[in-house]
Amino acid sequence: CMPLMLRGEPLGALYLGDNRRDFVTEQQRQFLESFAYFASTAIENAQLYQAISDKKQELETILSGIGDGVLVVDGDLRVVLMNPVATRIFNLPAPPPDGAPLPERLRQEPIYELLNEIRESPDGSRMQEIELAPRGSDQLRTYQALATPLVVGNALQGIATVLRDITTQKELERMKSNFLSVVSHELRTPLHAIKGFVNIILMGKTGPVTEIQRDFLETVQEQTNNLQRLIDDLLEFSRLESGRVTLRLQPVDIPVVIEAVVEKLILSAQSAGVSLVNHTPEDIPTIMADPWRLEQVVTNLVDNAIKFTPAGGSVTVAAEDVGDYIQVSVSDTGIGIPHEQQERIFDRFYQVDSGANRQYKGTGLGLTICRHIVEHHRGRIWVESEPGQGATFYFTVYKHLEEEDIGSLDFTTLPQKESAGK
Ligand SMILES: Nc1ncnc2c1ncn2[C@@H]1O[C@H](COP(=O)(O)OP(=O)(O)O)[C@@H](O)[C@H]1O
Ligand SMILES: [Mg+2]
């Protein structure tokens, strides 16, 4: 009997029987030893082969079960694997056999360019949207193709592409922007008319206005202004959420931005009995940023600070150069924010007091808009507050922002300048 050993571990045993007496000579023993060695190796190979083919089976089962299309090609763009979903997306009768060249059908699709692009510079994944018509339908479906190079050492071993059907998502986005243009036109236009005519009446151009009429009309005016702000907020929020907004970078002096906001809001602070103080030093370096959007952030923060500070309190704006960033702070002596809500207030539509008969007006979108804008400037926004003792909001903007950091400009979706000052 001979043990079958592999790297010091027993794998099995080899039994031999013979009726000769001097059965095991030294030579035979050596022969048997090497036989046992080869047998162990052969068994191990068989086991490894089985394990690999089990794994391959497992992988294929997973890939055929998932809803996304998967296409794997080797460095010469020969098919290594195509799952049933990918086969259907590319309108092929059956998946091509392993090692077959990429089917002619695929060479005419944009995915071919995507694969070639990766082959030429295999140093990162690439994403592309491609449109394909499934079998028996003349309707185009949109797929998002994410191609990832499989690099071993320095050599491109292959490319794995995942295709996800985003047709519904595209359709929803289209409906959302349609809805938005409806909102902007169908709601803004009558609002402008209301504001215009109320103004004309108030100016006395349609005859004398009694005291009580003036009072009511002024309320109409105030409420339409609120409505206008609400619509502007909703539009701005949707633009930012859909990623259709890009910054317009230009040299910006933060102190100038802050001063403009303070001037704009000083009257509403006064009528709320709150003193508004600007503590921004003059020597803040000029940075590249979108001044209009930064003004929007400061406006929202100061506006909140005034709103949530009872009469007699104060609101202080300041800025500081902190290395690669400029940090702006807006502190107030108001009602403060409970600790457990200090993260959540930056969520869309979130308000600490959101009851039906709540005390403070607003949509709960202001801080969400701020966060989007600040993050577009590669900065951070946060709050420090003790309930009952006021709150300080901080945000940072990166000093060395460049055009490449923020992607291409999309002028079609930028807000109209006329609403900029509001
Ligand atoms: N300075 C502040 N002091 C206290 N609470 C604040 C302050 N700023 C914001 N909040 C809280 O965060 C919520 C969200 O703010 P925001 O997104 O601007 O929405 P809105 O002002 O429309 O309510 C507010 O409803 C309020 O509960
Ligand atoms: Mg607000």
Side-chain angles (χ1 to χ4, degrees), residues 233 300-309 315 330-332 334-338 341 344-354 358 360-370 383 385 390-393:
D233 261 13
N300 282 348
L301 294 181
V302 175
D303 194 55
N304 280 348
I306 297 171
K307 182 162 69 170
F308 295 105
T309 302
V315 172
V330 177
S331 14
D332 63 59
I335 61 169
I337 301 152
Q341 317 221 25
R344 300 198 60 191
I345 51 170
F346 296 97
D347 292 348
R348 54 183 89 147
F349 301 109
Y350 192 83
Q351 297 178 307
V352 174
D353 171 21
S354 58
R358 64 184 207 271
Y360 305 100
K361 293 200 188 78
T363 52
L365 286 176
L367 290 177
T368 314
I369 292 174
C370 290
V383 65
S385 173
T392 302
F393 282 81

Side-chain angles (χ1 to χ4, degrees), residues 246-250 252 289-293 377 403 406 409 411 414-417:
T246 27
L247 305 180
R248 278 189 284 192
L249 291 188
Q250 60 187 71
V252 177
D290 184 327
W292 185 78
R293 302 226 175 251
H377 282 90
E403 235 30 94
I406 57 166
L409 292 173
F411 288 101
L414 285 165
Q416 291 146 17
K417 207 63 201 166

Side-chain angles (χ1 to χ4, degrees), residues 382-400:
W382 71 100
V383 65
E384 286 169 12
S385 173
E386 278 303 320
Q389 296 178 25
T392 302
F393 282 81
Y394 297 92
F395 74 88
T396 56
V397 285
Y398 187 57
K399 275 191 202 164
H400 317 292

Side-chain angles (χ1 to χ4, degrees), residues 45-58:
N45 282 345
Q47 282 176 348
L48 285 176
Y49 183 80
Q50 186 63 41
I52 288 176
S53 90
D54 284 354
K55 276 276 170 240
K56 187 160 184 264
Q57 188 77 45
E58 199 178 300

Side-chain angles (χ1 to χ4, degrees), residues 57-337:
Q57 188 77 45
E58 199 178 300
L59 188 67
E60 273 171 10
T61 313
I62 293 172
L63 288 179
S64 62
I66 64 171
D68 292 339
V70 178
L71 168 68
V72 183
V73 295
D74 67 12
D76 300 318
L77 300 192
R78 277 191 298 262
V79 177
V80 176
L81 188 151
M82 187 186 274
N83 77 345
V85 177
T87 313
R88 202 168 59 236
I89 291 175
F90 291 118
N91 217 342
L92 297 168
D98 278 9
L102 213 56
E104 194 49 40
R105 178 98 188 46
L106 265 73
R107 291 177 184 268
Q108 286 146 23
E109 299 291 354
I111 191 170
Y112 188 57
E113 282 158 40
L114 184 68
L115 295 176
N116 271 318
E117 229 175 76
I118 292 232
R119 204 150 68 129
E120 273 149 34
S121 58
D123 52 355
S125 306
R126 281 176 192 62
M127 181 120 71
Q128 203 183 58
E129 270 176 23
I130 60 179
E131 290 195 329
L132 295 166
R135 177 174 287 271
S137 151
D138 46 9
Q139 192 199 354
L140 278 183
R141 295 196 76 81
T142 310
Y143 296 90
Q144 190 180 60
L146 176 66
T148 309
L150 310 168
V151 181
V152 177
N154 271 334
L156 179 70
Q157 294 294 314
I159 305 168
T161 311
V162 176
L163 292 142
R164 171 162 299 170
D165 190 339
I166 54 163
T167 315
T168 329
Q169 195 180 324
K170 287 284 229 197
E171 175 64 10
L172 281 176
E173 271 170 31
R174 201 188 53 76
M175 279 163 60
K176 190 165 133 191
S177 37
N178 263 4
F179 172 72
L180 278 178
S181 61
V182 167
V183 166
S184 68
H185 288 106
E186 305 304 307
L187 284 182
R188 274 178 163 180
T189 317
L191 210 58
H192 276 299
I194 296 172
K195 281 172 68 173
F197 285 121
V198 168
N199 262 340
I200 292 172
I201 300 172
L202 274 173
M203 282 189 288
K205 291 192 175 166
T206 54
V209 182
T210 67
E211 206 42 47
I212 186 147
Q213 284 170 337
R214 172 169 302 275
D215 201 29
F216 285 4
L217 285 172
E218 273 167 5
T219 308
V220 173
Q221 207 174 31
E222 200 187 303
Q223 295 298 332
T224 40
N225 282 340
N226 284 344
L227 196 54
Q228 168 106 52
R229 259 198 299 276
L230 199 140
I231 293 169
D232 287 347
D233 261 13
L234 271 175
L235 285 172
E236 178 69 356
F237 161 78
S238 310
R239 283 196 206 97
L240 287 161
E241 287 272 293
S242 66
R244 281 179 303 138
V245 163
T246 27
L247 305 180
R248 278 189 284 192
L249 291 188
Q250 60 187 71
V252 177
D253 286 315
I254 298 276
V256 174
V257 173
I258 293 178
E259 187 50 38
V261 175
V262 169
E263 266 172 37
K264 189 170 64 183
L265 293 179
I266 195 91
L267 280 181
S268 65
Q270 270 167 14
S271 59
V274 173
S275 60
L276 179 54
V277 193
N278 185 359
H279 269 175
T280 314
E282 289 292 313
D283 58 348
I284 299 286
T286 305
I287 59 165
M288 289 302 281
D290 184 327
W292 185 78
R293 302 226 175 251
L294 288 187
E295 187 177 323
Q296 231 183 331
V297 176
V298 182
T299 306
N300 282 348
L301 294 181
V302 175
D303 194 55
N304 280 348
I306 297 171
K307 182 162 69 170
F308 295 105
T309 302
S314 66
V315 172
T316 311
V317 194
E320 202 184 331
D321 183 356
V322 288
D324 282 336
Y325 297 86
I326 306 285
Q327 178 174 306
V328 178
S329 63
V330 177
S331 14
D332 63 59
T333 58
I335 61 169
I337 301 152

